[in-house]
Amino acid sequence: MNTLGTPGEQVARLEALLKRVRTNAVALRNERASGEVVSAPMSLGPNSDSPASGTPVTAPTGTLPPRGTLGTLPDFLEQAVTAPPEMHDFGQVDVDPLALHTDDPVTQIPPRPEPLASALEAPTFEDPESSLHSLESDVPTLPPSRDDDIQDPDAEHTKPLWLGLNNGAGTFQGEGGYESRPGDSHRTLAETPAAKVFDTSGEFSTFDEASRESVALTSEDSLGGHRELSPPDVEVDVAAFDNGGIGEEEHLDTSPPISGHRASTRSPELLIAESLSPEDLEQELELGATHVDDSGGRISDAPPSVIGATITLPDESSAVSLELLEPPPSSFNANQGGAGGDDLEADLPRTSFRAEYDASLSSPPSAVDDLRAHEERRTLEQRTSRQPERVAISQRSEDDLPPVLSSRPAAPVGQANSVVYSPRADATGAVFEGERAPLPSMAFLALLDTSLSISVRG
Amino acid sequence: MTLFQTHSAALRFDLNRGRINNRDGDAFVLVPLAVMSELCRELSEDSLTSFGYAMGTEIGRRLLQRITAPNELPSATLNDVVAALGDEFAVAGLGTLGVEIWGSALVFTLQDAVLSFGGGTGLDRADSLIASLLSGVLMRAFSRDSNVVALGRAGRTARFVACNLATSEQVERWVEERLSAGEVLARLNQAVQA
């Protein structure tokens, strides 16, 4: 039997309850102002909907109310403040904000703000016209299971690999070479306020940190929402790369964005930002076992393949780069207990990735692509507002340069063709200055020999 | 094609062992600029040239190591070289390297050069050191006998032209005559057209 009544009655009681809460909140403020203690008996029972009013008492009870009631307002507030979240007693119904979560990092659903009315939903709910039914339609579609993403061992891995972090000086660390795409690859965890998810395709996406309250980061979701979590003393972004990247393209872009929380679900190979102390980070790097999993922001004992980290100070004024130059021994396994443990990671390729970008492998336009494009534009705008000269640099392409240096006469002073080294350069590693005629991508040796061939008659 | 790997940690400071190493394991020492300047001021011209040449050959060796395939060196683009060599200059704290093409002349530029030893002929002796260094780089990395001649500084930018041994003597005379860098380079290209 549904002791809670019809949904309409539940909503009515809920509204009455909220009204009383507001009333008592006002009473509490008055109590603080006047020094008088006010309590308000509150209950979610079916007979508890009598109007409540602040009743002066001499002293607070100081004890937690029995299960099933909210107790007096001061008690409720005290309980809410002092008790850990899992100990909160919201009455007859236990509210689990993580109820929709699963342990599968791929199918994990970010927590959604649960309407309070849903907490009162009876198990024998029958009213099809009730708005409570809309909760079902709000459940996001689950991404494909990881079982569907069986990696093809024969698949040639031609996606560019994002193997390192920008240390703030504009350079990337890559194993076997790295070639970025002009204009879009120089986003760093340090530069962007949002936690970025990098994957082996060289793309990036943003996921909402709202699902990880324990991670104190400023989060900006992919739909433009902004959420400020409590700032850490030191924000540390750890990049981890799983060795199982082969065949990654087999399940690229297979997951639609889920309510703007995540635009990518390629969890095993993702680079995840996590908040750690510098000491913890250093220790993890020494151990070589840091692998920040995105299934809740935890650090697992996955294959040790941390390749870079950036510590960003709160004021973003400087950054320190920590780098693990040598890959840890393949036999290392934090879970490898005693002798005879299988070293599963030893057979996995570690450095056989190609760093060339193959545009033909780009997936057709999709909602994810649109989302990424939007994110890229927005990030570019942010960078433009902060570092316009760098954006202008990155948009230059070596291929756009006209030929030069045939028999061109000497340029007047200040108008020579020039190329200047810049640590913030794009993949070409160079920056073309101003509006001067840029240089072609000629071999340096040819230019040098031409210069050395100049003979001056005395 | 990107021939050179970029790196995000050019130097590693091992405070426990008191060592500074680059990514190749080469050891470095940090010397205050004032001490470096004091040392170089005491050196003779030949010693200063040798010092710079030795620095350049070391940089040239590392430049070669950063090339993914040595047989691809001839195809290394100007941008590749500037990026890799600029990294070495930046790590050494010498300034921002650049390259200009003045007609046929290949000109290295160094912006924000911190080395300054003074000089009585309008040419900073530190520029002579850098010129020797660049000669060492070209010799070690590209196997080219060349003389890199300092053309002087214009504002915050010092210029150096790469030329052969015979031409370098004439260029040095022009510089001693206080010709500007533009005038020297114009004369060089007039010689090419003649």
Side-chain angles (χ1 to χ4, degrees), chain A residues 167 171-172 323 325 398 405 408-409 411-413 416-419 421 428-430 433 439 442-444 449 451-452 454 456, chain B residues 6-9 12 74 76-79 83 86-87 96-104 106 111 144 146 162-164 167:
Chain A
N167 68 340
T171 55
F172 282 80
E323 184 183 15
L325 291 179
E398 188 180 11
L405 192 72
R408 176 177 294 187
V413 175
N417 307 318
S418 64
V419 54
Y421 165 77
T428 65
E433 271 192 334
L439 292 168
M442 292 181 62
F444 176 81
D449 287 340
S451 184
L452 296 181
I454 300 176
V456 178
Chain B
T6 56
H7 53 86
S8 58
R12 292 177 63 89
T77 66
L78 176 60
N79 292 329
D87 265 352
T96 302
L97 182 72
V99 166
E100 296 175 348
I101 302 299
W102 295 70
S104 298
L106 177 66
Q111 297 178 4
R144 293 292 188 272
S146 63
C163 47
N164 59 46
T167 303

Side-chain angles (χ1 to χ4, degrees), chain B residues 106-187:
Chain B
L106 177 66
V107 178
F108 292 96
T109 64
L110 193 62
Q111 297 178 4
D112 302 323
V114 296
L115 288 179
S116 179
F117 307 148
T121 61
L123 191 65
D124 199 309
R125 291 189 71 209
D127 290 350
S128 299
L129 175 69
I130 299 299
S132 302
L133 189 154
L134 288 170
S135 296
V137 170
L138 298 180
M139 172 61 194
R140 184 66 178 83
F142 300 98
S143 302
R144 293 292 188 272
D145 287 328
S146 63
N147 263 7
V148 178
V149 181
L151 299 178
R153 300 190 179 191
R156 300 165 56 193
T157 302
R159 285 185 169 83
F160 309 87
V161 61
C163 47
N164 59 46
L165 301 180
T167 303
S168 66
E169 296 178 357
Q170 180 61 51
V171 172
E172 288 174 349
R173 283 195 290 271
W174 287 336
V175 173
E176 290 175 356
E177 293 173 5
R178 303 295 180 93
L179 293 181
S180 68
E183 291 171 324
V184 170
L185 294 169
R187 290 191 179 190

Side-chain angles (χ1 to χ4, degrees), chain B residues 3-23:
Chain B
L3 293 179
F4 302 99
Q5 297 180 17
T6 56
H7 53 86
S8 58
L11 289 179
R12 292 177 63 89
F13 292 82
D14 187 346
L15 300 185
N16 293 327
R17 297 170 56 210
R19 298 289 299 272
I20 304 173
N21 296 95
N22 66 358
R23 67 196 306 265

